[in-house]
Amino acid sequence: MSIGIIIMRRAVFLALALIIAVFLTGFIIGATGYVDNVVKAIINEEVRAYRQALSKMPNVNQSYVDKLTRSYQQMLVRTYGLDKPWIYRIIPLVYSTLIFKFGDVQQTSVAEVAGFQLPAKASDVILACLPRTIVMITVAELITIVLALLIAPRITFKIGSLADRIAVIYAALTNAIPVWWLALVMIFIFSYRLGVAPQQFRGVIKVLSTMSSAFMAGNAVSFFSSFGNLLSYVWLPILTIVITLLGPWIYSTRAMLLRMVREDFVLAAVARGLPQKVVLRKYILRPALSPIMTSVLLGLAGTLGGYIITESVFDWPGMGTLYYQAIASGDPATILGLTYILTLVYVVARFILEVLYVALDPRVRL
């Protein structure tokens, strides 16, 4: 079977998985009535506040208040689409999502995560939160991966040495420490005790907005000035995430390489007296490239979903916070948009891996 047919077949399967994921999400939020219940609660709260405001007006009788309240409630029901069955609201929304028309944000709390006010497009809200997650979590993950790939091969031939024992102990400790817990400790030490980090991190919204405007205007001075301000916000979250994730990454990479070290062709290369660097590069790292690439690409793709609790600790308005607010407030357009974007990123990462697998390992073509 040709390589082109293999790649095309796998691309079709991944595309079907993407479509199914979006339709299942729409079915869950529609058929279960979750979004409807949340929206009904919001309508009831708005109606209560409206009735209370009318009751405080002078010379207004109760029957007139009831009439205005009923009219206002019916208007809200039509506005939120509750006058139609869920399938008539969700199916068009799912279709629009698949063609990147995410619709409008319905809840104020969701728009406020991005620093917007209603009316706001779900796509604009997602695009506003995505860079914040990238500069904090994706960059931290990338730094962690680079450090792990530099450290793990160096201890592959030193099993049982002091460096190897330190790496194993460090991995065990950091694997047991939640990122959000370490974030609390780091904020307490560096922000409140030492005063070398901000106490409020939400200012990153303005900094990224200024950087974007300066970049579009070609203002290099303003751009690099804003970049310096950005570093003052991101260094502590990045350091926290790197400290927590580096241990597990070193340990998992070490485990992948150790499986290669025990292979017969590696033992034969060592027996022939080849230099350790040559054995490591040609006989260990190259065969281990496929599982390492899988971990790297899928790990980086997964960071775009954000860390809900860690973002809450740092008050960092990223994708995790946005997803949480969208689910908590029952905003279907944002939920489907986020699900689609994150699943699409995962599918693209998987497709890249499939292409690399076919190119690097002839056995995959069979």
Side-chain angles (χ1 to χ4, degrees):
M1 187 179 296
S2 66
I3 297 177
I5 294 177
I6 294 174
I7 294 175
M8 184 64 66
R9 185 176 63 183
R10 295 182 181 180
V12 170
F13 287 143
L14 290 172
L16 288 175
L18 174 64
I19 295 172
I20 291 171
V22 177
F23 268 97
L24 282 178
T25 304
F27 179 81
I28 290 171
I29 65 177
T32 59
Y34 167 72
V35 172
D36 289 354
N37 291 334
V38 174
V39 172
K40 286 176 183 178
I42 294 172
I43 290 176
N44 291 336
E45 183 61 26
E46 292 187 13
V47 169
R48 185 196 63 78
Y50 183 73
R51 176 187 288 275
Q52 187 176 11
L54 290 176
S55 301
K56 293 180 180 180
M57 296 176 64
N59 302 323
V60 178
N61 58 50
Q62 188 61 37
S63 61
Y64 186 62
V65 171
D66 293 339
K67 181 180 178 180
L68 289 177
T69 302
R70 284 195 298 271
S71 177
Y72 182 67
Q73 185 175 20
Q74 291 171 2
M75 184 271 292
L76 289 176
V77 168
R78 290 193 299 271
T79 301
Y80 284 105
L82 292 182
D83 56 331
K84 300 176 182 178
W86 69 268
I87 195 168
Y88 291 101
R89 290 179 279 117
I90 295 298
I91 296 300
L93 185 59
V94 169
Y95 174 74
S96 299
T97 300
L98 290 173
I99 58 175
F100 293 95
K101 294 181 179 179
F102 299 152
D104 298 323
V105 175
Q106 296 182 356
Q107 309 302 335
T108 303
S109 60
V110 175
E112 288 177 347
V113 173
F116 296 164
Q117 297 294 327
L118 296 180
K121 296 287 186 182
S123 57
D124 294 337
V125 170
I126 294 172
L127 287 176
C129 292
L130 185 59
R132 304 169 196 166
T133 295
I134 291 175
V135 299
M136 173 186 171
I137 300 174
T138 306
V139 170
E141 184 88 6
L142 187 59
I143 293 173
T144 303
I145 291 171
V146 171
L147 290 175
L149 293 180
L150 290 174
I151 296 172
R154 297 179 184 275
I155 60 176
T156 301
F157 287 107
K158 301 177 182 178
I159 302 302
S161 65
L162 178 61
D164 182 61
R165 292 178 182 178
I166 291 174
V168 172
I169 293 172
Y170 175 67
L173 288 175
T174 53
N175 193 50
I177 298 176
V179 181
W180 60 266
W181 183 86
L182 183 60
L184 289 171
V185 175
M186 298 289 276
I187 290 174
F188 176 75
I189 296 174
F190 291 99
S191 296
Y192 288 93
R193 287 296 184 184
L194 300 179
V196 295
Q199 296 182 4
Q200 300 292 332
F201 292 84
R202 190 165 283 265
V204 73
I205 297 177
K206 184 178 180 180
V207 173
L208 285 174
S209 178
T210 304
M211 281 187 63
S212 177
S213 301
F215 179 78
M216 297 300 294
N219 189 339
V221 175
S222 178
F223 177 82
F224 285 107
S225 176
S226 299
F227 182 74
N229 293 332
L230 177 64
L231 292 178
S232 69
Y233 281 101
V234 302
W235 73 267
L236 185 60
I238 288 177
L239 179 63
T240 302
I241 295 172
V242 169
I243 290 174
T244 309
L245 299 185
L246 182 58
W249 262 102
I250 292 176
Y251 190 83
S252 61
T253 307
R254 168 183 172 274
M256 294 178 197
L257 297 179
L258 284 179
R259 284 196 292 269
M260 294 294 111
V261 170
R262 299 187 181 97
E263 294 290 340
D264 292 339
F265 59 87
V266 176
L267 297 177
V270 174
R272 294 208 312 267
L274 294 178
Q276 190 178 94
K277 290 183 179 180
V278 175
V279 175
L280 182 62
R281 185 177 67 254
K282 291 186 176 181
Y283 292 88
I284 297 178
L285 288 178
R286 189 173 179 180
L289 193 59
S290 293
I292 290 175
M293 284 192 310
T294 301
S295 299
V296 169
L297 284 178
L298 296 185
L300 290 175
T303 61
L304 297 183
Y307 295 169
I308 295 176
I309 302 178
T310 305
E311 289 180 11
S312 299
V313 171
F314 282 109
D315 193 22
W316 195 275
M319 294 287 278
T321 304
L322 181 64
Y323 219 143
Y324 172 77
Q325 284 296 339
I327 294 173
S329 61
D331 195 304
T334 309
I335 293 173
L336 284 174
L338 285 168
T339 302
Y340 185 51
I341 291 297
L342 298 178
T343 308
L344 179 61
V345 170
Y346 174 80
V347 166
V348 170
R350 284 293 311 177
F351 180 71
I352 294 173
L353 284 173
E354 295 292 347
V355 173
L356 292 175
Y357 287 162
V358 172
L360 296 175
D361 193 346
R363 295 172 298 177
V364 179
R365 306 173 195 174
L366 300 178

